[in-house]
Amino acid sequence: QVQVVETGGGLVQAGGSLRLSCKTSGLRFADYNIGWFRQAPGKEREGVSCISRNGVDTYSADSVKVRFTVSRDNAESTLYLQMNSLKPEDTATYYCAPANLVFRNGEIVQCDTVRFWGQGTQVTVVS
């Protein structure tokens, strides 16, 4: 049985930082490309940052590039997202999920998912 616990969300002022964690169990974590996705009320799901199975290749959406960093610890079956310089438009529920990665010229140009694993963690950024 797959279990996922997403933590680290909260209320933060613009310019602040948060670190999200996604602890998994019941699956072969190292077998998955995985990523962080977010969804705000009335908006479409967005692939925020994704990472390949071995952690070598990463992707971040243009909206978060430079500010967000995705990483993983396969030994701990955990995914992380370091979020710096947060903006009000980053407000959303953040989910970790298996990722479908699209590569072009050796780089990830797109990531998407067909399902969320957990309940997500809420990030609220106020100005």
Side-chain angles (χ1 to χ4, degrees), residues 6-17:
E6 296 137 321
T7 58
L11 177 68
V12 64
Q13 287 196 325
S17 297

Side-chain angles (χ1 to χ4, degrees), residues 48-67:
V48 176
S49 294
C50 295
I51 188 166
S52 60
R53 294 177 183 87
N54 59 9
V56 171
D57 300 294
T58 62
Y59 164 88
S60 287
D62 288 343
S63 58
V64 305
K65 201 162 289 187
V66 178
R67 300 188 297 121

Side-chain angles (χ1 to χ4, degrees), residues 10 14 21 33 41-42 44 47 50 60-61 69 71 76-77 79-80 89-90 95-96 98-100 109 119 124:
S21 297
N33 297 317
E44 291 190 357
C50 295
S60 287
T69 302
S71 61
E76 295 294 328
S77 299
L79 177 72
Y80 301 100
E89 50 264 43
D90 295 320
Y95 304 86
C96 68
N100 299 317
V109 295
Q119 299 301 309
T124 303

Side-chain angles (χ1 to χ4, degrees), residues 6-21 36 38 68 81 83 86-95 119-127:
E6 296 137 321
T7 58
L11 177 68
V12 64
Q13 287 196 325
S17 297
L18 287 172
R19 190 187 193 212
L20 306 184
S21 297
W36 288 98
R38 67 186 180 187
F68 290 10
L81 185 67
M83 306 188 295
L86 283 160
K87 303 176 180 180
E89 50 264 43
D90 295 320
T91 295
T93 303
Y94 285 69
Y95 304 86
Q119 299 301 309
T121 184
Q122 177 66 36
V123 172
T124 303
V125 185
V126 296
S127 57

